[in-house]
Amino acid sequence: MRKEAEENKEADEKKKEEAETKNEAEQLVFQTEKAIKDLGDKADKKDVEEAEDLIKELKEALDKGDIDDIKSKKEKLQEKAMALATKVYEEAAKARQAESANTEEAKEENKTEVKEADVSEE
C-alpha cells in the first residue's frame, strides 16, 4: 500500500510540474505578444521577428505536449523577451535624458540677465 501511494505521489508531482510549466509557457506567450503590441515601432524589428519566431516555436511545443521541449523553448523566449524589454527601457531612458537636457537648456535661455543700473543724481 505504501509503495503504491509513493508511486502515485511521484506521478502526481510530475503532472503538477507539467501543468505549471505549460501554464508558465502560456503566460509568457501572452505577455510577450502583449509587450510587442504595446511597444509598437519602439522595438527593433529584428528583435520583434526573433521573439515572434520563438513564440511560434513555443506554441508548437505546447501543442505537442513535450515538457522538455516546452521548458527549452520557454527559456529561449524568456531571454529574448528580457532583452527586448531591456532595449526598450534603455531607449526610453535616453529619450528622458534628452528631454531633460532640452528642458534645462530652455530654462537657461529664459533666464534674464539682471544688470545693475547706474543711477546718478544731478
Side-chain angles (χ1 to χ4, degrees):
M1 194 74 164
R2 212 166 228 220
K3 184 178 180 182
E4 188 178 316
E6 192 65 34
E7 287 175 3
N8 287 337
K9 182 181 176 188
E10 287 178 23
D12 288 345
E13 286 177 4
K14 185 176 180 180
K15 285 181 184 177
K16 181 181 175 188
E17 180 186 353
E18 288 177 1
E20 288 174 353
T21 299
K22 287 178 180 179
N23 285 337
E24 290 169 2
E26 289 170 354
Q27 284 180 319
L28 180 61
V29 165
F30 173 78
Q31 291 169 344
T32 307
E33 287 176 331
K34 183 178 182 325
I36 289 170
K37 181 180 175 187
D38 290 347
L39 295 173
D41 59 354
K42 294 177 188 171
D44 182 68
K45 287 187 180 198
K46 182 181 177 209
D47 288 331
V48 169
E49 288 173 6
E50 289 174 6
E52 288 172 340
D53 288 344
L54 291 170
I55 289 169
K56 182 180 174 187
E57 290 175 17
L58 181 53
K59 284 180 175 181
E60 290 170 359
L62 281 164
D63 288 342
K64 292 177 186 173
D66 181 347
I67 293 301
D68 291 331
D69 193 32
I70 292 170
K71 286 180 182 179
S72 171
K73 296 219 167 41
K74 183 178 75 135
E75 287 176 19
K76 288 178 184 176
L77 181 56
Q78 278 178 317
E79 288 174 18
K80 178 49 73 178
M82 290 292 286
L84 191 62
T86 300
K87 282 186 179 181
V88 170
Y89 176 78
E90 288 171 354
E91 290 300 316
K94 286 178 189 176
R96 281 193 302 274
Q97 280 182 329
E99 186 176 305
S100 177
N102 289 340
T103 302
E104 289 300 317
E105 285 177 19
K107 284 181 182 178
E108 288 296 320
E109 288 175 8
N110 288 335
K111 284 185 180 179
T112 56
E113 196 173 307
V114 178
K115 293 183 180 180
E116 214 171 287
D118 199 18
V119 179
S120 57
E121 287 183 34
E122 290 184 31

